[in-house]
Amino acid sequence: MPPSPVPPPRDEHDLRVRAHCLTGRTLGDLARELRFALGQAALHTKGKAGELVERALGAGAVAGPPSNGDPRSLLDFPHLGIELKTVPVDERGRPRESTFVCALPLGHADAMEWRGSWVRTKLSHVLWLPILTREHAAWNERVVLEPVFWRPSREQDAVFQGDFDDVMGIIASGGIEQLTARIGRWLQVRPKAANGRARTIAHGPDGEPIATVPRGFYLRPSFTEAILRDPRAVP
């Protein structure tokens, strides 16, 4: 008989207690405790660590608000206004990869503004959980490290807005195919699709609809590393 789902945290304090209680636990410990099934093929699937930690914290049990345009419904803990981000790090605390934030809706990107954007909502209050991922270590040997609760300062928010506006300007001018991961100080845009055949619609240089690879917003590892060390950092 499968275990009962972990109930959602009552408030932010409850979430903080739960997150700190995970410190030092291995993913193998959590998977056994929660009877989290992972097939052999799934062991190498990105996102499984995040899914496991979400379940341990009760994120999967949260009933978010209906899809009514409220961006808070996109969060892992919508009733708290908090997003969870697991970050695989090496022994020196350096992230091993960029951190996915959210999909970039290309169809109406030209009308998007930073203040009401999905990406700003996702980054408005984040629970960072670094996962120690040693070279060649098995997935079940990965260790959950100390959590970091973070809200962007005004200065950090301004840098994000600058990156966002640069990206939106390129897309609005029909330059989606010229948009590369090199653009953006902290935020970058990269392809985000289940496979190489996936396509979505964007606008070309003359406003014509064109088929292109779906994109998503990512955080550069240099930014995430700095925030994990000092939430007020401005790298």
Side-chain angles (χ1 to χ4, degrees):
M1 182 177 179
S4 300
V6 177
R10 297 181 303 276
D11 49 32
E12 184 177 330
H13 173 73
D14 188 14
L15 179 59
R16 286 177 177 269
V17 170
R18 294 186 188 192
H20 281 283
C21 285
L22 295 184
T23 303
R25 304 286 302 280
T26 66
L27 297 188
D29 290 338
L30 296 180
R32 283 189 295 272
E33 182 178 304
L34 297 171
R35 301 181 195 174
F36 186 80
L38 278 173
Q40 188 63 33
L43 298 182
H44 305 288
T45 302
K46 293 179 67 174
K48 283 296 178 180
E51 185 180 342
L52 175 57
V53 172
E54 285 176 6
R55 187 173 300 186
L57 293 173
V62 174
S67 179
N68 57 2
D70 181 359
R72 285 169 58 97
S73 65
L74 302 168
L75 301 175
D76 292 309
F77 301 95
H79 63 306
L80 303 179
I82 297 176
E83 176 75 354
L84 170 66
K85 291 296 179 187
T86 55
V87 183
V89 299
D90 63 17
E91 291 87 344
R92 293 176 292 181
R94 294 181 176 177
R96 291 192 174 275
E97 59 192 29
S98 300
T99 301
F100 175 68
V101 181
C102 66
L104 172 53
L106 294 175
H108 57 278
D110 57 335
M112 291 177 62
E113 295 184 355
W114 171 245
R115 185 171 296 277
S117 67
W118 292 359
V119 62
R120 188 176 192 238
T121 298
K122 287 276 192 177
L123 295 175
S124 62
H125 195 178
V126 180
L127 162 54
W128 301 100
L129 268 184
I131 309 290
L132 178 57
T133 307
R134 297 185 176 89
E135 193 78 26
H136 306 304
W139 74 271
N140 57 332
E141 296 174 350
R142 299 173 185 175
V143 181
V144 181
L145 301 180
E146 193 77 14
V148 175
F149 283 80
W150 169 77
R151 293 178 186 269
S153 66
R154 288 186 179 181
E155 186 176 5
Q156 291 168 337
D157 187 78
V159 175
F160 282 132
Q161 181 172 359
D163 287 347
F164 179 88
D165 289 346
D166 287 345
V167 167
M168 292 302 110
I170 292 172
I171 296 175
S173 64
I176 182 62
E177 300 300 348
Q178 283 70 54
L179 183 59
T180 72
R182 292 191 297 271
I183 295 171
R185 178 174 166 185
W186 296 344
L187 275 177
Q188 59 180 177
V189 171
R190 296 172 51 194
K192 177 64 174 178
N195 58 68
R197 298 186 301 274
R199 291 293 183 271
T200 189
I201 298 299
H203 298 295
D206 297 319
E208 75 283 11
I210 60 173
T212 188
V213 178
R215 265 76 161 189
F217 278 111
Y218 289 77
L219 292 171
R220 295 187 183 280
S222 57
F223 170 77
T224 310
E225 178 184 0
I227 290 301
L228 292 177
R229 298 183 189 281
D230 177 8
R232 300 296 92 185
V234 185

